[in-house]
Amino acid sequence: MTTALATPELLASPLQAVIQHIESIQLAGQDYLLATLEESCTPSSPLFAILFHLGAISEVYEYFSSIGDLTGPFLRPIEPQSTPFVPLEMAEVRRYKGKTNEVFTRVLLNVGIFASHYAEQYSERLRVLDPMAGGGTTLFLALASGYDAFGIDLERQDIETTAVFVRQYLEGERIHFKELDERSRRAGRRYQFEIGPKKHMHSLVLVNGDASEADQHLRDVSGGPHAHAIVGDLPYGIQHFGEISELLNRALPVWERILYPGGAMALAWNATRISREEMIALVGTQTGLQVLNEPPYTQFAHTVDRVIKKRDILVAVKPL
């Protein structure tokens, strides 16, 4: 999976502008991407730091074909230039039925951010909504990236157990947090967490409710019902276009309103039986979002397992 996703993820990032050449190679039986960058993009430049933000790339090295009279190749490890706001393991340690691989989820999140007009602000405090949050993997990775994370799910048990996990994990890691009391709220259960020290605090909001009412569920949270990116992994059990169409016909216009101008939506779905063309037509019918239907955004399709033989990503941007 990472072999399939690494190249398009890298090319979808702001680093694409300084990549002169890219190829897949093997060294000692391991897969690598060998990318030649413009001389201006050195390991100390801000743009270079994007490499450590990528999901499908685990480590970064400087490559030397030779050093003096010694024939290579040689690799020199490059230290990461930033630390996650919360540990990445927050998305890894929790196991539950139907969980999507966290590497793929991180790629999906990055693709949504990088496609937006806020790509250059990828390390700043952006707002990410997952309208089908499930067990919270997308939300935890958004937090790790330093974003505010908002999740909605129709299953009350999923939201409640995720809230319990958040409390236990933050307490166990001794990460400061404050939970707002919303027991008197009528429109479905909602949990709001303020995480981190006061000057560097980030929000995590979990809502039990319908994704097509996302604007109502987030209306009175800090900052209102707005997001720079909407990132969602559609249910894999859907087998026919009619099922997914019913869900998205109601939800897409609402999600479009939530997006800031220039914001982006990245949706993953089981493309084994539902074609990319059907998904594009649906987004075009229900929204004014611009679907990105050219490389690298058409290169994310990959096999998951024997049941999901093809999973794909659709990316669309709200005009400024």
Side-chain angles (χ1 to χ4, degrees), residues 119-310:
E120 300 291 345
Q121 303 170 40
Y122 76 93
S123 61
E124 299 179 15
R125 188 179 175 182
L126 303 178
R127 296 167 66 91
V128 174
L129 167 65
D130 182 351
M132 287 161 284
T137 301
T138 302
L139 308 179
F140 304 150
L141 290 171
L143 276 177
S145 296
Y147 307 144
D148 289 339
F150 306 87
I152 300 171
D153 202 275
L154 195 58
E155 295 295 330
R156 179 170 181 170
Q157 184 176 6
D158 286 348
I159 292 298
E160 291 180 345
T161 56
T162 300
V164 171
F165 169 79
V166 169
R167 294 188 202 101
Q168 293 176 343
Y169 183 84
L170 297 177
E171 289 171 353
E173 294 297 315
R174 298 184 178 179
I175 298 172
H176 177 76
F177 75 96
K178 180 173 69 174
E179 184 175 356
L180 303 183
D181 186 358
E182 293 204 304
R183 285 175 293 185
S184 60
R185 187 172 183 270
R186 295 180 180 178
R189 196 70 175 93
R190 186 172 69 188
Y191 302 86
Q192 291 196 62
F193 297 89
E194 296 176 346
I195 302 170
K198 190 171 184 179
K199 292 184 178 180
H200 303 284
M201 182 192 69
H202 290 277
S203 298
L204 170 62
V205 178
L206 305 170
V207 183
N208 168 225
D210 192 321
S212 65
E213 300 173 351
D215 54 345
Q216 300 299 315
H217 292 305
L218 301 179
R219 183 175 53 188
D220 55 348
V221 302
S222 178
H226 304 292
H228 298 90
I230 293 176
V231 180
D233 207 3
L234 299 177
Y236 292 161
I238 292 178
Q239 299 294 316
H240 304 287
F241 180 69
E243 298 175 72
I244 206 168
S245 176
E246 182 181 353
L247 168 67
L248 294 180
N249 277 331
R250 295 183 291 108
L252 282 172
V254 177
W255 299 351
E256 181 182 20
R257 290 197 298 271
I258 288 175
L259 279 176
Y260 284 116
M265 177 182 71
L267 300 179
W269 84 100
N270 180 359
T272 307
R273 293 182 175 86
I274 300 172
S275 72
R276 181 175 184 85
E277 290 70 25
E278 288 174 315
M279 291 290 290
I280 291 173
L282 180 58
V283 172
T285 300
Q286 293 298 325
T287 75
L289 302 179
Q290 177 187 359
V291 175
L292 304 183
N293 198 35
E294 64 281 333
Y297 301 101
T298 55
Q299 299 173 331
F300 287 103
H302 62 283
T303 299
V304 179
D305 52 32
R306 289 181 296 176
V307 176
I308 305 172
K309 295 182 172 61
K310 185 180 180 181

Side-chain angles (χ1 to χ4, degrees), residues 1-8 24-26 31-33 56 299 302:
M1 181 188 67
T2 54
T3 302
L5 297 176
T7 296
S24 298
I25 64 171
Q26 275 202 343
D31 291 322
Y32 291 83
L33 283 186
Q299 299 173 331
H302 62 283

